[in-house]
């Protein structure tokens, strides 16, 4: 897609008031409806959703999708402009509500948002064709001694595991400090994701005591200590039996 300049980019700016009306017609204010704008541009729809939620005390949600289309005259992309617009609109709405009496007991208005970018997996993919070439087998094996992509952040890995475990991106995630390390409790603790690089028996015990349904740990967290991993399997098994249910334990 060709880059566009700031001047010609927003040739058809949509008034937020008009978008509000569209939202009022198309969505039910008493339901937590989700509005999807697949070509979000400068995020005027997100702005309108927040605006309407504020004036109607509704809980509509929005999903904006935007490619990082570059602009001609600036370093930023259209997606950057959309994100900044959401931040500023949220601040303006929050400021305007500040100090007003909440006569309708509307509760806190959710003006937060998360940004996700499509990316490759954080786990290296075994390349069979590459490995088949005799010179490259050693290189492929070496690459997979640690099969995580080096540049991956804990957040990258966390969200990939979350999605692969069947949870949506909107699932609640709490960081929990436990003896021996930190874990992420997904959906109130149904799934525990542990990204610690030095897993200890104390940490495994603490996770088991939390009674999760699923536990995912990094394989590298066991540092090649098979006994520690085997003990972890036994710890979760014993806990599951005591609680008369199953705990699915996986390493990645
Ligand atoms: C006019 S803007 C959208 C305006 C916005 N929906 C609003 O309400 O103000 C359209 C956006 O869609 C994106 N877009 C257009 N065609 C696309 C395509 N084929 N694939 C992905 N994105 C596209 C462009 O980056 C552009 O920023």
């Amino acid at each position: 897609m060709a880059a566009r300049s700031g001047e010609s980019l927003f040739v058809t700016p949509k008034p937020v008031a008009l978008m509000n009306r569209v939202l009022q017609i198309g969505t039910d204010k008493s339901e937590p409806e989700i509005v999807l704008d697949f070509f979000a541009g400068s995020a005027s729809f997100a702005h309108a959703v927040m605006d309407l939620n504020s004036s109607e005390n509704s809980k509509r949600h929005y999903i904006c999708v935007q490619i990082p289309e570059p602009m001609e005259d600036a370093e930023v992309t259209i997606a950057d402009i959309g994100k900044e617009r959401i931040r500023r609109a949220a601040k303006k709405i929050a400021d305007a509500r500040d100090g007003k009496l909440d006569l309708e007991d509307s509760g806190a208005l959710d003006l937060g948002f998360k940004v996700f970018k499509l990316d490759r997996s954080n786990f290296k993919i075994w390349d069979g064709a590459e490995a088949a070439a005799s010179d490259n087998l050693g290189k492929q094996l070496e690459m997979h001694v640690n099969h995580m992509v080096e540049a991956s952040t804990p957040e990258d890995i966390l969200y990939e595991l979350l999605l692969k475990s069947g949870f949506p991106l909107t699932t609640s995630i709490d960081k929990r400090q436990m003896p021996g390390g930190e874990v992420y409790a997904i959906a109130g603790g149904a799934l525990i994701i542990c990204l610690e690089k030095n897993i200890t028996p104390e940490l495994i015990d603490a996770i088991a005591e939390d009674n999760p349904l699923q536990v995912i740990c990094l394989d590298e967290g066991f540092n090649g200590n098979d006994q520690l991993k085997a003990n972890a399997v036994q710890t979760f098994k014993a806990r599951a039996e005591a609680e008369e249910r199953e705990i699915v334990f996986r390493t990645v």
Side-chain angles (χ1 to χ4, degrees):
M1 185 174 288
R4 287 181 277 175
S5 72
E7 200 188 349
S8 62
L9 177 63
F10 304 117
V11 283
T12 56
K14 325 272 184 313
V16 171
L18 172 66
M19 309 283 240
N20 277 351
R21 189 71 196 113
V22 171
L23 286 167
Q24 278 174 324
I25 294 167
T27 59
D28 183 346
K29 74 171 179 179
S30 55
E31 296 292 329
E33 303 234 38
I34 302 173
V35 181
L36 171 66
D37 187 351
F38 210 68
F39 302 97
S42 65
S44 29
F45 235 115
H47 187 165
V49 169
M50 289 190 287
D51 226 32
L52 200 59
N53 279 346
S54 175
S55 58
E56 290 192 341
N57 288 327
S58 55
K59 292 195 186 318
R60 293 171 175 97
H61 301 276
Y62 62 84
I63 299 173
C64 289
V65 181
Q66 176 57 42
I67 51 170
E69 185 182 346
M71 291 179 65
E72 260 170 21
D73 315 327
E75 296 279 292
V76 294
T77 63
I78 296 179
D80 293 326
I81 291 176
K83 285 182 280 182
E84 187 55 25
R85 188 221 199 114
I86 294 174
R87 283 186 204 103
R88 290 186 191 190
K91 184 172 182 318
K92 200 169 156 197
I93 292 166
D95 288 348
R97 286 170 68 99
D98 237 17
K100 274 193 193 161
L101 274 181
D102 189 3
L103 296 174
E104 293 179 36
D105 191 21
S106 53
L109 178 68
D110 187 355
L111 294 167
F113 70 110
K114 286 181 184 169
V115 179
F116 296 97
K117 291 179 189 166
L118 270 185
D119 206 346
R120 60 180 184 175
S121 172
N122 297 287
F123 300 91
K124 294 174 194 164
I125 312 290
W126 178 262
D127 187 339
E130 186 82 353
S134 57
D135 287 356
N136 292 335
L137 179 58
K139 214 170 90 194
Q140 279 284 306
L141 282 170
E142 224 166 75
M143 246 176 67
H144 284 77
V145 171
N146 178 2
H147 65 299
M148 308 296 302
V149 172
E150 279 77 16
S152 300
T153 66
E155 226 176 21
D156 294 336
I157 301 167
L158 178 68
Y159 276 100
E160 180 168 350
L161 293 175
L162 179 92
L163 287 175
K164 285 184 168 165
S165 305
F167 290 88
L169 292 170
T170 46
T171 313
S172 69
I173 301 174
D174 306 310
K175 236 185 211 183
R176 288 188 190 163
Q177 200 59 49
M178 294 191 164
E182 201 174 64
V183 300
Y184 297 90
I186 314 299
L191 165 65
I192 296 284
I193 296 181
C194 172
L195 303 179
E196 286 291 342
K197 301 280 175 74
N198 287 301
I199 294 171
T200 60
E202 292 73 34
L203 180 55
I204 294 294
D205 287 345
I207 295 173
E209 270 172 38
D210 241 30
N211 283 329
L213 297 173
Q214 289 187 61
V215 181
I216 302 177
C217 294
L218 293 184
D219 199 56
E220 64 172 300
F222 291 94
N223 290 301
N225 185 339
D226 290 340
Q227 173 138 24
L228 181 61
K229 205 199 283 185
N231 286 344
V233 172
Q234 288 312 316
T235 301
F236 291 122
K237 198 165 165 234
R239 184 74 191 185
E241 278 169 9
E243 296 290 321
E244 293 184 354
R245 53 175 188 75
E246 211 187 342
I247 298 178
V248 179
F249 169 54
R250 284 181 292 146
T251 59
V252 290

